[in-house]
Amino acid sequence: LAKTTQPISMDSYEGQEVNITCSHNNIATNDYITWYQQFPSQGPRFIIQGYKTKVTNEVASLFIPADRKSSTLSLPRVSLSDTAVYYCLAYGGATNKLIFGTGTLLAVQP
Amino acid sequence: DVKVTQSSRYLVKRTGEKVFLECVQDMDHENMFWYRQDPGLGLRLIYFSYDVKMKEKGDIPEGYSVSREKKERFSLILESASTNQTSMYLCASRTGTYNEQFFGPGTRLTVL
């Protein structure tokens, strides 16, 4: 199972673009990269998932380079309500398990 | 909207009690999961089930058991609660390996 590494915390200001990078050096060929968001006292919520190159939805973009050893979650123009913990996961293939790390606490200030 | 519900938001039990945490999903998902979340440790998988009556151990199954008699319901059982099982417990479900997991609101269990 691919282990992921991401910064423990990040600070930003409202209106800025935030990029959170995750490394997954031993990602398997058939693993997908997935990001979840969690607010205090709530369960995690799916944000975005990708396999390679770039994926964009109404919330975020996910950039995955050709070697797939890292990925970057990009949140455009963050607001105070984006303050949350963001988890990067690599999973799929032969396992049903999702391995959550400790995540990145993003603090958005006014 | 997919809905995953958990039987209680807050629960207080005494050491040695048998504790049942119930999780119900309404989207006919095959896979269901139980996690616990502790400060500094992130989410850790306790058990998961990929079909009715099927179960597999996660990373920290000791002290827990599970039951999945119906597709929509996945129960986590603490046979004899201990103080180190005080935690936030999160249930999730999904329809297939590559699909997103939908989480419930969590149950904060305190064992005294």
Side-chain angles (χ1 to χ4, degrees):
Chain A
L1 292 173
K3 183 177 183 296
T4 61
T5 303
Q6 53 186 122
I8 293 174
S9 64
M10 292 182 71
D11 292 321
S12 182
Y13 292 94
E14 281 193 292
Q16 287 187 334
E17 178 185 74
V18 171
N19 295 309
I20 306 175
T21 297
C22 176
S23 66
H24 25 81
N25 289 318
N26 59 340
I27 190 169
T29 303
N30 48 6
D31 281 350
Y32 279 71
I33 296 142
T34 304
W35 286 80
Y36 282 78
Q37 174 193 56
Q38 186 178 24
F39 298 112
S41 301
Q42 294 186 26
R45 185 175 69 103
F46 172 88
I47 302 176
I48 197 166
Q49 176 173 285
Y51 185 80
K52 61 180 177 181
T53 64
K54 178 183 175 182
V55 179
T56 297
N57 61 22
E58 64 277 6
V59 175
S61 294
L62 178 60
F63 299 91
I64 305 167
D67 66 6
R68 302 196 339 116
K69 292 185 183 299
S70 67
S71 58
T72 299
L73 174 73
S74 180
L75 304 171
R77 297 180 300 281
V78 295
S79 64
L80 296 176
S81 62
D82 291 316
T83 293
V85 177
Y86 292 82
Y87 295 95
C88 165
L89 301 92
Y91 81 104
T95 180
N96 273 307
K97 291 177 19 170
L98 283 184
I99 307 296
F100 281 84
T102 53
T104 297
L105 174 59
L106 172 65
V108 180
Q109 301 174 34
Chain B
D1 264 3
V2 174
K3 197 163 184 186
V4 179
T5 56
Q6 296 184 227
S7 49
S8 307
R9 287 303 304 270
Y10 300 94
L11 208 53
V12 180
K13 295 291 181 181
R14 296 207 175 273
T15 301
E17 281 193 77
K18 190 168 186 175
V19 181
F20 292 87
L21 302 182
E22 305 284 341
C23 174
V24 178
Q25 50 94 3
D26 64 359
M27 285 299 291
D28 202 35
H29 286 172
E30 293 86 4
N31 302 164
M32 296 188 73
F33 305 79
W34 274 107
Y35 297 86
R36 64 176 282 177
Q37 184 170 31
D38 301 288
L41 296 176
L43 279 82
R44 293 180 291 168
L45 181 64
I46 305 172
Y47 267 98
F48 65 99
S49 167
Y50 47 88
D51 207 345
V52 176
K53 296 191 186 296
M54 309 295 270
K55 60 185 179 184
E56 283 198 31
K57 293 180 180 180
D59 298 314
I60 51 164
E62 296 78 20
Y64 303 94
S65 61
V66 290
S67 172
R68 185 127 181 245
E69 295 297 318
K70 294 185 178 181
K71 193 174 187 179
E72 68 271 17
R73 187 179 298 269
F74 191 34
S75 303
L76 180 69
I77 303 154
L78 287 66
E79 295 290 341
S80 177
S82 64
T83 54
N84 63 11
Q85 292 179 310
T86 291
S87 186
M88 169 70 87
Y89 289 88
L90 290 157
C91 174
S93 73
R94 73 176 179 201
T95 189
T97 302
Y98 292 100
N99 295 335
E100 65 180 281
Q101 288 194 10
F102 294 88
F103 282 81
T107 296
R108 186 165 293 282
L109 172 68
T110 301
V111 182
L112 301 175

